[in-house]
Amino acid sequence: MKILVLNGPNLNMLGIREPGIYGNSTYDDLVKKITDHCNAKGIDVECKQSNHEGTLVDYIQQAYFDKVDGIVINPGAYTHTSVALLDAFKSVSIPMVEVHISDVSTREAFRQVSYVSYAASRTIMGKGFDGYIEAIEYLASM
Ligand code: DQA
């Protein structure tokens, strides 16, 4: 089982950005939590982060050629704007779970739209870093 975990813009700033919303733990803490979990479960995982929409599209396309079984993505703000990410997921048809650390459903109106969700098998929000683990477990059970 091969899983790719993608994080979009500003998620490299975890621990610094808006700790009241996203917490005090860093991106490296997140990667360690995911890696430890996957090592214990025998899941092959790779974590990537980019602030650039096109780079995220490249990573999604590459996952097709690398025969990745499932993708977990927190697209950050691109969630609410990016048809390109949606089209990339539709191009590769790899099962995908969308994760948000915060509960976007209770935040600003502009966060209520998610283009990526049109291709998501599931959306998990408001569960902090645990949401990523839940997403991985969901993909592993598919
Ligand atoms: C986020 C929510 C988005 O609205 C925001 O732009 C982010 C992070 C989350 O994890 O809660 O960058 O995806």
Side-chain angles (χ1 to χ4, degrees):
M1 176 98 207
K2 204 168 166 180
I3 300 250
L4 174 65
V5 179
L6 290 179
N7 277 284
N10 300 307
L11 289 156
N12 57 316
M13 297 297 279
L14 287 170
I16 298 170
R17 74 179 289 206
E18 301 180 90
I21 296 174
Y22 299 111
N24 294 302
S25 300
T26 65
Y27 176 73
D28 285 349
D29 295 333
L30 173 62
V31 170
K32 186 179 180 330
K33 183 183 174 87
I34 291 167
T35 308
D36 287 351
H37 179 85
C38 289
N39 285 347
K41 296 268 173 160
I43 296 168
D44 181 2
V45 73
E46 190 172 14
C47 298
K48 293 181 177 175
Q49 187 276 331
S50 178
N51 293 324
H52 306 280
E53 187 176 17
T55 303
L56 292 165
V57 170
D58 289 343
Y59 289 156
I60 294 162
Q61 292 180 1
Q62 190 58 44
Y64 175 83
F65 298 105
D66 291 345
K67 302 197 180 336
V68 166
D69 300 301
I71 300 176
V72 175
I73 185 165
N74 182 345
Y78 292 139
T79 307
H80 319 299
T81 61
S82 182
V83 177
L85 287 180
L86 171 62
D87 284 349
F89 283 114
K90 289 175 117 175
S91 300
V92 299
S93 295
I94 298 171
M96 177 269 284
V97 176
E98 173 189 1
V99 171
H100 301 285
I101 294 167
S102 67
D103 183 358
V104 284
S105 71
T106 61
R107 297 181 63 193
E108 302 95 325
F110 64 83
R111 295 186 204 274
Q112 309 306 316
V113 173
S114 168
Y115 290 99
V116 166
S117 73
Y118 286 92
S121 303
R122 256 190 89 186
T123 298
I124 297 168
M125 58 177 79
K127 296 188 174 176
F129 288 5
D130 289 344
Y132 291 83
I133 304 299
E134 196 175 315
I136 289 165
E137 285 304 304
Y138 179 79
L139 289 169
S141 72
M142 276 175 82

